[in-house]
């Protein structure tokens, strides 16, 4: 059973409340059927006598946190290990290995010997009601290692162990049949203890004893447990902390829209391969229109359908912005009134529905990652980097490829190109709206990646590839990472194999791993938008119980990053009659990347504090240059331009006004010379 929402409840009319609690309560009412809520509570009370993976979503004991790293390395122990890189600390569900075998970081715990006396153990550090075990094999490109059956034992002191029984004998649990798909085994009766141990009984032929696992358990109340109280995370925000199906997501959006009708608008940018609408919410003081001088910002989530945390964070963010705006939070009011914010929570809803069916612990690392037709949206955009770099290497004069607004190749636009319909929808969306800054939320790591994402050297897979705006991108990345609760914490454990602390939780995408056709590179080279990839958590699909803590980890960062759209310079480029001029090229001396004005002549150029020489130039107009100072205080510096038409452009305008074509002087001279020759003859 999954908790489903009622269409009727979502369509009821409600008055707009003011208090945060009222908003939260109304949203809850509009996205829940009361009968189903009651049924869920009844089922949860009967969980100890129930079974089935579906109940794990709603009311079963949650994971202890091996995958999310809530369980520390010091809480994991094993009988033996092949080597340090295959120690007990690597026996975490969905942990990923390095590319090479014998790495310091490998993809499982592997016992040093192959016999029935091997085990891996978890210390919960408090009495816990254990209800189940989830297992995987070893993550490896080259080897096939997994456990096919095992016993489970519990203890209160790690010396005396009680084996889980099946009647009078020890219970043998069925393990894995391959290395990546997680398998859930529930205990026949919940066991209360501090320690739990998994004891492999059989394993894949010709393989080794290797496991990744997660433990399901409910910690029992213990007010005297200092360790628990020190690490407990709570939130004061009263939001809808749950995983939403596509239908529930749409209903939640509608609830927020009805709570805050004056600052929100729901629209869609297209449909998925399976026909699900790609819904977006716009949050601003005048939704539905672009205001001159107001920058446009977006968050995109769910390009990989199984990276669910970003999706839920954006849904929480739109609730939070609505609540705080109605409550009069000055910071949020200013942000909403001075910015046009767009939130696209689910770019790949087809993939999400697959992952959602599998569930937070049982979906594995890749189920739902791709679109329905098997395309990875994250690297499905046109490769414009190669066009730019080849032109630079040839030193084309006059330049055939500009340093911005690079055109999409014709082959990419053809119907036969391997391009997802979701990708085409995003491209059309970004060409329509003059976004200034954007973040695409991903999962599986804790880092902010900035472009370029593609290496410039053909023979390399990792190489720093900075953009001309590298200093700006570094600041933008650091603004998110430094305000996240964990990203810049040097004491935190790395998620899988990469340690990003040397750059304070940020990384140049290409120096991490090369990606051709990324959204970040496309945005930078084809539009005005500065786009970054924000990896919001080690666990792609955290359990519902983890969402409040993940919201606390990311809330401030989500807001701070949006505020960065107001850094740098902004302005309007007008003609002598005061009309805005579109497509004016804005160049900054010393930075080989230009931007262009929007249809109303307004522009925004993200820059770090400093003094800049800025030039505005457009065909038919004399260019204009001025010095623009960017300060440290929040708020872009106003830097307007007025362009006068060139003499030739004015003559052409006058001649066209009176129905005549402008005279071409060289052609006129030739005509006069020919006439003189004929007269002499």
């Amino acid at each position: 059973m999954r908790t489903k929402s009622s269409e009727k409840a979502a369509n009821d009319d409600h008055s707009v409340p003011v208090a945060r609690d009222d908003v939260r309560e109304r949203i809850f009412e509009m996205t829940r059927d009361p009968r189903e809520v009651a049924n869920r509570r009844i089922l949860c009370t009967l969980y100890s006598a129930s079974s089935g993976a579906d109940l794990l979503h709603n009311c079963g004991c949650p994971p202890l946190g091996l995958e999310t790293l809530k369980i520390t390395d010091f809480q994991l122990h094993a009988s033996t290990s092949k080597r340090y890189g295959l120690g007990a600390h690597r026996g975490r569900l969905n942990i990923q290995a390095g590319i090479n075998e014998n790495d310091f970081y490998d993809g499982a715990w592997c016992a040093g010997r192959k016999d029935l006396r091997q085990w891996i153990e978890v210390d919960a550090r408090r009495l816990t009601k254990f209800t189940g075990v989830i297992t995987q094999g070893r993550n490896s490109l080259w080897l096939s290692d997994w456990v096919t059956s095992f016993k489970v034992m519990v203890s209160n002191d790690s010396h005396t162990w009680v084996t889980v029984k099946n009647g009078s004998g020890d219970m043998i649990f069925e393990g894995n049949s391959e290395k990546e798909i997680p398998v859930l085994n529930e205990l026949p009766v919940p066991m209360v203890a501090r320690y739990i141990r998994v004891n492999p009984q059989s394993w894949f032929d010709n393989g080794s004893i290797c496991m990744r696992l997660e433990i399901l358990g409910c910690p029992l109340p213990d007010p005297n447990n200092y360790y628990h109280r020190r690490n407990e995370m709570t939130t004061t925000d009263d939001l809808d902390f749950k995983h939403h199906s596509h239908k529930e997501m749409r209903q939640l959006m509608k609830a927020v829209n009805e709570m805050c009708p004056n600052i929100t608008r729901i629209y869609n940018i297209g449909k998925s391969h399976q026909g699900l609408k790609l819904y977006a919410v716009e949050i601003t003081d005048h939704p539905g229109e672009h205001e001159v001088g107001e920058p446009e910002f977006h968050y995109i989530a769910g390009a990989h359908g199984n990276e669910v945390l970003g999706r839920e964070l954006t849904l929480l963010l739109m609730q939070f912005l609505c609540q705080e705006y109605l409550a009069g939070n000055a910071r949020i009011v200013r942000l909403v009134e001075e910015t046009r914010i767009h939130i696209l929570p689910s770019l790949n809803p087809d993939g999400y529905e697959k992952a959602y069916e599998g569930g937070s612990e049982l979906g594995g690392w890749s189920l739902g990652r791709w679109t329905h037709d098997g395309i990875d949206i994250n690297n499905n955009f046109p490769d414009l980097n190669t066009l730019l770099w080849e032109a630079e290497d040839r030193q084309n004069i006059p330049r055939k490829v500009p340093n911005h607004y690079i055109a999409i190749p014709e082959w990419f636009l053809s119907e036969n190109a391997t391009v997802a319909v979701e990708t085409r929808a995003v491209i059309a969306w970004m060409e329509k709206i003059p976004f200034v800054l954007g973040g695409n939320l991903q999962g599986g790591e804790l880092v902010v990646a900035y472009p370029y994402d593609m290496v410039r050297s053909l023979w390399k897979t990792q190489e720093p590839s900075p953009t001309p705006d590298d200093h700006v991108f570094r600041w933008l990345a650091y603004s998110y990472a430094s305000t996240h609760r964990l990203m810049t914490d040097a004491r935190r454990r790395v998620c899988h194999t990469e340690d990003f602390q040397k750059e304070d939780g940020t990384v140049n995408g290409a120096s991490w791993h090369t990606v051709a056709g990324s959204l970040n590179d496309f945005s930078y080279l084809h539009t005005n938008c500065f786009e970054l990839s924000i990896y919001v958590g080690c666990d792609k699909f955290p359990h519902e119980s983890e969402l409040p803590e993940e919201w606390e980890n990311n809330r401030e960062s989500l807001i701070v990053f949006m505020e960065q759209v107001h850094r740098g310079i902004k302005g309007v480029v007008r003609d002598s009659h005061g009309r805005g001029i579109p497509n004016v090229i804005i160049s900054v001396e010393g930075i080989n990347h230009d931007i262009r004005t929007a249809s109303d002549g307004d522009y925004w150029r993200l820059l770090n504090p400093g003094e800049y020489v800025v030039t505005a130039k457009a065909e038919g107009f004399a260019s204009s240059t001025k010095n623009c100072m960017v300060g440290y205080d929040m708020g872009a510096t106003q830097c307007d331009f007025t362009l006068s038409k060139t003499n030739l452009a004015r003559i052409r305008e006058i001649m066209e006004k009176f129905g005549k074509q402008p005279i071409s002087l060289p052609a006129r001279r030739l005509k006069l010379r020919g006439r003189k020759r004929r007269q002499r003859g």
Side-chain angles (χ1 to χ4, degrees):
M1 172 184 174
R2 293 191 195 282
T3 303
K4 298 296 183 182
S5 301
S6 169
E7 287 284 358
K8 179 181 182 299
N11 291 326
D12 289 343
D13 291 329
H14 297 272
S15 59
V16 178
V18 176
R20 294 182 182 88
D21 291 346
D22 291 343
V23 175
R24 154 66 179 151
E25 196 62 35
R26 198 58 56 85
I27 288 175
F28 183 85
E29 290 173 2
M30 297 174 71
T31 57
R32 295 290 186 279
D33 185 325
R35 293 169 298 178
E36 294 181 4
V37 173
N39 289 340
R40 177 175 170 179
R41 288 171 180 158
I42 293 170
L43 280 173
C44 288
T45 61
L46 299 174
Y47 176 77
S48 60
S50 306
S51 63
D54 283 340
L55 285 175
L56 176 61
H57 294 278
N58 295 317
C59 55
C61 285
L64 291 188
L66 276 75
E67 183 176 7
T68 61
L69 308 182
K70 185 177 289 186
I71 295 294
T72 69
D73 290 351
F74 301 105
Q75 292 174 260
L76 299 172
H77 307 280
S79 52
T80 59
S81 299
K82 275 193 173 183
R83 58 177 180 273
Y84 180 79
L86 291 169
H89 65 293
R90 302 297 295 175
R92 300 173 179 272
L93 191 72
N94 285 321
I95 204 164
Q96 301 296 292
I99 295 176
N100 302 313
E101 294 300 329
N102 299 316
D103 265 354
F104 191 69
Y105 299 109
D106 267 309
W109 160 69
C110 289
R113 296 188 296 271
K114 292 196 286 186
D115 59 48
L116 300 181
R117 294 186 296 275
Q118 305 307 308
W119 48 263
I120 181 170
E121 171 189 313
V122 180
D123 176 6
R125 286 185 171 163
R126 60 186 299 185
L127 285 179
T128 301
K129 182 176 73 172
F130 297 115
T131 61
V133 177
I134 301 172
T135 59
Q136 274 176 315
R138 177 181 179 180
N139 176 251
S140 171
L141 293 174
W142 323 108
L143 300 174
S144 296
D145 298 317
W146 59 82
V147 170
T148 56
S149 67
F150 57 89
K151 293 181 181 180
V152 175
M153 296 174 277
V154 296
S155 172
N156 285 328
D157 57 10
S158 79
H159 296 291
T160 303
W161 292 89
V162 175
T163 304
V164 175
K165 302 290 184 181
N166 184 13
S168 59
D170 295 348
M171 184 167 184
I172 304 296
F173 293 91
E174 185 177 347
N176 300 87
S177 56
E178 60 94 73
K179 55 189 173 185
E180 288 298 337
I181 299 177
V183 172
L184 166 66
N185 277 280
E186 294 179 300
L187 306 187
V189 177
M191 306 285 285
V192 175
R194 171 175 168 174
Y195 301 87
I196 186 168
R197 180 179 284 185
V198 174
N199 170 215
Q201 296 297 294
S202 61
W203 43 93
F204 178 62
D205 292 344
N206 301 320
S208 298
I209 299 176
C210 295
M211 299 185 75
R212 291 176 287 170
L213 70 157
E214 181 64 85
I215 305 297
L216 305 181
C218 296
L220 299 184
D222 184 3
N224 298 318
N225 190 317
Y226 169 74
Y227 172 83
H228 171 70
R229 286 185 282 111
R230 185 186 62 184
N231 291 277
E232 196 171 47
M233 170 57 62
T234 58
T235 180
T236 57
D237 295 324
D238 206 2
L239 307 174
D240 191 20
F241 294 106
K242 73 177 290 289
H243 290 300
H244 298 80
S245 67
H246 188 74
K247 179 181 176 182
E248 291 169 335
M249 179 190 77
R250 174 66 179 89
Q251 290 172 335
L252 178 62
M253 288 179 166
K254 183 167 184 175
V256 172
N257 176 237
E258 293 189 11
M259 294 304 100
C260 296
N262 296 329
I263 62 167
T264 62
R265 178 177 72 97
I266 303 172
Y267 65 100
N268 73 79
I269 68 168
K271 291 184 179 181
S272 70
H273 187 276
Q274 291 289 86
L276 297 177
K277 290 183 179 179
L278 307 178
Y279 289 112
V281 168
E282 176 188 342
I283 303 176
T284 185
D285 57 342
H286 293 94
E289 60 181 280
H290 169 73
E291 295 184 71
V292 176
E294 186 171 287
E296 310 250 5
F297 175 93
H298 72 247
Y299 274 128
I300 299 173
H304 294 147
N306 66 328
E307 293 172 8
V308 175
L309 178 55
R311 168 195 175 99
E312 295 305 329
L313 287 175
T314 56
L315 295 178
L316 292 168
L317 178 63
M318 63 179 69
Q319 296 173 62
F320 180 79
L321 293 177
C322 172
Q323 288 185 13
E324 296 301 307
Y325 184 86
L326 293 179
N329 182 324
R331 181 187 185 190
I332 300 304
V333 170
R334 182 170 59 251
L335 180 64
V336 169
E337 293 183 348
E338 296 179 358
T339 318
R340 193 180 181 203
I341 302 165
H342 303 257
I343 300 176
L344 180 67
S346 187
L347 178 55
N348 180 9
D350 297 348
Y352 173 76
E353 291 298 292
K354 291 181 183 178
Y356 182 77
E357 285 301 313
S360 60
E361 320 311 325
L362 304 180
W365 189 252
S366 60
L367 179 66
R369 175 184 176 90
W370 299 279
T371 63
H372 185 77
D373 47 346
I375 296 175
D376 186 340
I377 297 177
N378 196 48
N379 57 357
N380 191 224
F381 293 84
D383 170 17
L384 305 181
N385 305 57
T386 300
L387 296 176
L388 174 67
W389 294 337
E390 286 180 350
E392 290 179 347
D393 292 341
R394 290 194 303 267
Q395 297 181 345
N396 286 342
I397 302 174
R399 189 185 190 93
K400 293 183 180 179
V401 177
N403 66 9
H404 70 297
Y405 273 42
I406 299 174
I408 298 174
E410 290 186 10
W411 67 264
F412 188 90
L413 300 174
S414 69
E415 293 184 3
N416 296 328
T418 307
V419 181
V421 293
E422 296 89 348
T423 305
R424 295 190 189 277
V426 170
I427 291 175
W429 185 48
M430 299 191 72
E431 289 178 335
K432 180 181 179 181
I433 299 176
F435 290 117
V436 180
L437 177 62
N440 57 89
L441 305 186
Q442 301 190 44
E445 270 295 351
L446 263 177
V447 68
V448 182
Y450 54 89
Y452 290 121
D453 289 332
M454 181 178 174
V455 297
R456 188 158 184 165
S457 302
L458 296 177
W459 59 90
K460 293 185 178 180
T461 59
Q462 292 178 305
E463 177 189 50
S465 297
T467 67
D469 283 289
D470 188 60
H471 57 298
V472 178
F473 276 114
R474 286 176 179 269
W475 168 260
L476 293 171
Y478 185 69
S479 72
Y480 194 100
S482 62
T483 48
H484 189 279
R485 288 186 61 254
L486 298 175
M487 275 191 193
T488 55
D489 186 350
R491 299 167 297 175
R492 77 170 180 86
R493 186 195 189 282
V494 299
C495 291
H496 300 282
T497 63
E498 301 283 349
D499 186 356
F500 299 107
Q501 291 308 309
K502 59 186 177 183
E503 292 189 45
D504 293 318
T506 69
V507 67
N508 171 255
S511 68
W512 181 13
H513 56 265
T514 185
V515 175
S518 75
L519 173 58
N520 293 346
D521 291 2
F522 170 80
S523 298
Y524 184 66
L525 296 177
H526 185 68
T527 76
N528 287 341
C529 186
F530 284 39
E531 185 91 20
L532 293 86
S533 293
I534 303 169
Y535 293 79
V536 292
C538 300
D539 188 352
K540 291 183 178 184
F541 196 157
H543 188 268
E544 206 166 86
S545 62
E546 299 289 339
L547 293 179
E549 181 171 352
E550 293 294 356
W551 168 247
E552 285 295 316
N553 289 342
N554 288 276
R555 179 187 57 196
E556 180 65 15
S557 302
L558 290 166
I559 297 170
V560 166
F561 187 72
M562 285 191 288
E563 291 173 332
Q564 303 314 303
V565 76
H566 295 284
R567 286 200 175 273
I569 60 174
K570 67 177 181 179
V572 182
V573 182
R574 300 181 176 89
D575 61 18
S576 55
H577 301 289
R579 296 173 299 207
I581 309 173
N583 291 318
V584 178
I585 296 175
I586 305 295
S587 301
V588 179
E589 185 177 281
I591 303 177
N592 187 27
H593 180 79
D594 303 332
I595 63 163
R596 299 195 185 193
T597 58
S599 58
D600 296 311
D602 47 352
Y603 77 91
W604 306 263
R605 181 51 163 103
L606 297 178
L607 293 167
N608 286 347
E611 186 174 354
Y612 297 91
V613 178
V614 184
T615 300
K617 51 189 175 184
E619 185 177 353
F621 293 86
S623 62
S624 175
T625 300
K626 59 173 60 176
N627 290 339
C628 301
M629 177 69 72
V630 178
Y632 287 89
D633 294 336
M634 187 62 68
T637 301
Q638 193 75 27
C639 199
D640 297 329
F641 292 88
T642 299
L643 301 186
S644 301
K645 290 195 173 182
T646 60
N647 290 336
L648 181 60
R650 283 210 299 268
I651 292 172
R652 182 178 289 113
E653 187 180 76
I654 293 170
M655 297 296 287
E656 289 177 349
K657 182 177 180 180
F658 291 99
K660 298 180 180 179
Q661 296 297 319
I663 298 171
S664 174
L665 295 181
R668 177 70 172 166
R669 291 194 193 101
L670 290 174
K671 190 174 182 180
L672 290 173
R673 287 173 187 167
R675 186 181 300 171
K676 288 179 180 179
R677 288 194 195 99
R678 287 193 297 273
Q679 288 174 352
R680 291 194 199 102

